[in-house]
Amino acid sequence: MPSRPPPSHSLTVRIALLMLGFLLAGMWALAWYADHRLREDMREQLQAHQQTLAALLARELERTLAERSRALQAVARSLLTGEQPGAAQTLERLQAVLPRLSVLQQMFSGGYFVTDAQGLAIVSYPAHLQGQRRMFAASQATVGALAGETVISEPMAGLVEGRPVVAIAVPVPGPDGRVAGALVGVVKLRDAGLLQLLPEIAGQPASSYLVVGRTSRAIVVADAEQRILQSLPASGEVPALDALLAGSEGSVLHVEQGREMLSSVQLLRSVDWAVLVSQPTALVYAPLASVQRRILLAALGLTLLAAAGVWWMLRRALRPVLDIGQRLAAMAEEGAPLQPLPAQATYELGQLVHGCNHLLTEIDRRQQALQESRQLYLAAFQTSPDALDITRVADGVHLAVNAGFERLFGWPRAEVLHHSGLELGIWRAADAPRREQFVRQVLAEGGVCGWEQQLWRRDGTPVTVLMNARLLDVGGEPCMLWICHDVTASRAADDRIQRLSSTDQLTGLPNMQQFVQLLEQAQARCLQTQRLAALLCIDLDDFKTINDGLGHEHGDQLLRQVGQRIGAQLRPGDLLARLGGDEFLLLLPDLPPPLGAAAQQAEALAQRLAIELGQPLTIEGTTHSISVGVGIAVLGQEHQEPRELLRQAVLALNQAKAAGRGAMLLFEPQMQAEVNSRARLQRSLREALQQQNFVLHYQPQLDSDGAVVGVEALVRWPLPGAGMVSPGEFIPLAEKTGLIVPLGRWVLHCACSQLALWARQPQRRHLDMAVNVSAGQFQQDDFVATVQEVLHQTGAPAERLKIELTESLMMYDIEHIIERMNALRALGVRFSLDDFGTGFSSLAYLKRLPLQQLKIDQGFVRDCLEDHNDAAIARTVIALGESLGLEVIAEGVETPAHRAALAQWGCRFFQGYLFSRPLPIAQLEEFLQQHAAGAAADAPAPG
C-alpha cells in the first residue's frame, strides 16, 4: 500500500492557505483602492478650491491694476492744455498740480512722475524721483506709453530705496492729440494696498500664493514679503509648471524643496502675470494614514478568524474522503478483488462514491475488452494487405512481419526475422540518416503518420511507400510497429499528371503554369548572386493569316518548327516556353550587370532569333519566311511578382507590334505609366459619360462678306483636378474603346437642342450647326434612326444640321455608306466632307456621295503661303468644289493673309482663330451680338 502523503501536502492545508491568501489579497486590494480613491477625491476637491482662490486673486489683482490704470489715464488727459511739455509755464503748473493729486498718492505709494516725449522725467512726486531721468527714459513702461499704450512693467528694484516696485505708465496727450509724454505711477510691491488677502486664504495657513511674471518668472506679489522679486525654478526643471505658465490654466503636482506641492495657476488678461496658489499635499493626506492603519488591522483580524473556521470545517468534511482513499488503495494491491464502496449520506461524497463504483465497473469491462482486442490485433496483423513489421528500437532487428510484408518486399518471413532492414537492403546505407530521423521522431512523439520513403525490394527494384509507425512496449523493451502502404503506382500517375499539367502538348515546351514557377526561382537566384536575367516575349507576325488560310494543322506544324529553331539558338540554362497561340516566352538567366549590358545581350539574341526565323521554312510544300516582334524585360534588380514581369514583357511586345513588323522593344517604366494613365483616363471617360460632364464649344463659320453663317460644335471635357483634357487625347481613346458611340449621341443631342433654340429666334434661325460624326458612330445600324429620333425630340430643323464625315469612313463598305447618307439626306440633313485631301481621296466615290460641302484641312491652310504644294492642293480643292457644285470652307484660317489668299482662289467660307476660337455658348452669344452690331455699323446708310 502506498505511503500516506505528508501533512504539508494535505488538501486541508492547501485550501486553508488558499482561502487565507484570497482574503488577504482582497483586503489589501480594498485598502489600496479606498486609499487611492480618497486621495483622488481630496486632490480633486483641493484643485477645485485652489483654482477658485486663484481666480478670485486674479480678479482682485485685475481690478486693482485697472483702477490704478484708469486713475492715471484720467489725470493724463487733464495735464496738458495748451503748451508742449518742457515749457516753463507748463512745468510750473505741473509742479503745482502733482502734489494735489491725493488719489494718485493713495494708489501709487512709490510716487508718480511726468516725462517728456523722449521719456525723461520733468516733474515728479515726490520730487526726488526726477533725478532718475535716464532710467525712466529707458524703462519698458515709459517706452510703451510713449507708443500710445497703457503698460504695466515687470517687477524691478526701487529707484531710491531699492525696494521692489511695479510701474504703470499711460500716454499723456498733447493739444494736437499726439502723445506728448507719459504719466508713470510707481507701486511698491510690499504695500498691502496692491493685493488684499481674501478671507478664504487668510483662514488657511497651509496655502501660499504668488503673482508671477510669466516671461521673467519673477515673483511680483507673495504672501511672504521676502519672496518678492525672487524667481520660480528655471524653465525645464518643472515641465508641468512651465506648461501652465506658458498659457494653459489649471493645476499641477510638483516637488518643491523636497515636498510634493499642488499648485493652481490663473492667468491675468491685462498683464503678462499669473496667480499661483500652492499647498503641500502631505498636510491634505495626513488624516488618511490613520484610516488606512485601522482598515488593515480589521482586515488582518477577519482573515485570521476566517482561516481558523475554514481549517476546522475542512478537517471535519474531508475525513470520509480519507477513508475512501484507503479503501481504493487496498483494492489496488495485486490480486485484491474490486469491491464497490459503501454509500455516503452527504450529496458530494455520495457523488464521489458513485463515480468510483462506476470506474471500478468500467475497469473490469475494459480488461475483458483488452483481451479481445489482442486477439483481433493478431488477426489484423496477419491479414492486413499493407506491410506490417515489428522491430526493436535499439538495433532495428525485425521481431515479426506479416504476409503483406512478404508480398511487398519479396523476402520470406524466415529470412527476415532477426535481421534489420539495412542488413537486408530494404533500407540503403545512404538512407540510414533519414531512418534515424524517423525513429527519433517516433520516440519523441510516440508515433508518426504519412512519412513517404523510397525502399527497395529483394530484386533491387525501388518501391515508394507511405509509412506510419507507433511506439510499442514488448516485454519491457521499446519496439516499433511499422505500417508500409505501397504508393508506387499512384505516385507515377501523379508525376504523369504533373507533366501533362505543366507542359504544352503541342510543342512539348513548359507551359505558362510551369514557366511562372521557374521564373520565380530564376529571380531568387538573381537576387542571391547579384546577376540579372532577361525575359523575352516573342510573337509571330501575321500568324493568323497562315492559320486561317492553310488550316490549324499547318499552323501547329509551323509552331513546332519555330519552337525547335528558337531552342537551337539557346545556351544551356536558357528556358523556352509557349505562352499560348503564336507567342513564346524565353528566359535568359545569369546575365552580367549593369542593366545596359544585360539588355544588350538580350537584344543581340533577339536579333539572332529574328535572322534565324527569317530563313525559309517549308511545311507541306509551302515555304514561309517568319518575322517576329519581341518585347524584352530585364529582371533581377529587385523582387517583382512573376505575373508583373510577364505583363512588362507583353507590354513591350505590344508596343513593338504597334511600331511595325519585326520590331523589338525593351520595357521601360514609362510604358507602364502610359498604360496606367490611359486606363485612368478611360475610367474617367466612362464616369464622365455616365454623369454627362462634357460641354460643347462652338466655332463660328463666316462667308466672304464676313457674315456668320453657322458654327461647328466641338466637344470639350473639363476633368476636375486636371483642367481641360485635350480632344486629341480623349477622342482617339473613345474611338478605341467604343465609347465614341454614346459620346457622339450626346454631342448630337446637345447640338440639336441648341439648334432648335436658335430656330425660334429670328436673328439666329439662319445659322447652320456642323457636328462631327466618327466612322464608328456612322456605321452603327441604328444611326439613321438615332438622328431621326434626336431631331424629333429636340425639334431642330433638319436642313440646318450639317454632319461632318472624314475620308477614313470611305475605306469601309461604300455602298452601305452612300445608302445611309441618302436616307439622312431625305430627312433634310446635309453633309460636309472634313479634312478633304488628307486621306484616300477618290473622285470615283466623291461624285456619288450626297455632299453639300468640302472642308479644306487646316494642314494645307497653315502653310499655303510658304509651301507651293499646300497652295496647289488648296486651289485644287476649291476648283473641284466649284466644278461639282459644292461649297468649300477652309478651316484653320489664322491670319488676314490666309483669308485673302483663299478668297482670291475662290473660297467663300472660312473658319479659324482669325475670327474666333471655339467658344462656350454664353461667349458665343456675345460674339454673335457684337458681330451683328459691328456689321450694322459698317453697313452703308440708306439713300
Side-chain angles (χ1 to χ4, degrees), residues 57-77:
L57 287 174
R59 193 158 53 247
E60 173 67 15
L61 189 55
E62 292 271 15
R63 183 192 61 76
T64 301
L65 294 175
E67 287 179 354
R68 283 164 168 76
S69 299
R70 287 195 296 270
L72 285 177
Q73 292 170 355
V75 172
R77 287 194 294 269

Side-chain angles (χ1 to χ4, degrees), residues 448-465:
V448 174
C449 296
W451 185 295
E452 188 170 321
Q453 176 68 38
Q454 186 180 70
L455 300 178
W456 304 87
R457 294 187 176 95
R458 184 175 187 177
D459 59 4
T461 58
V463 56
T464 303
V465 297

Side-chain angles (χ1 to χ4, degrees), residues 52 187 361 477 735 752 931:
T52 303
V187 180
T361 304
E477 187 175 13
E735 291 178 342
C752 287
H931 192 273

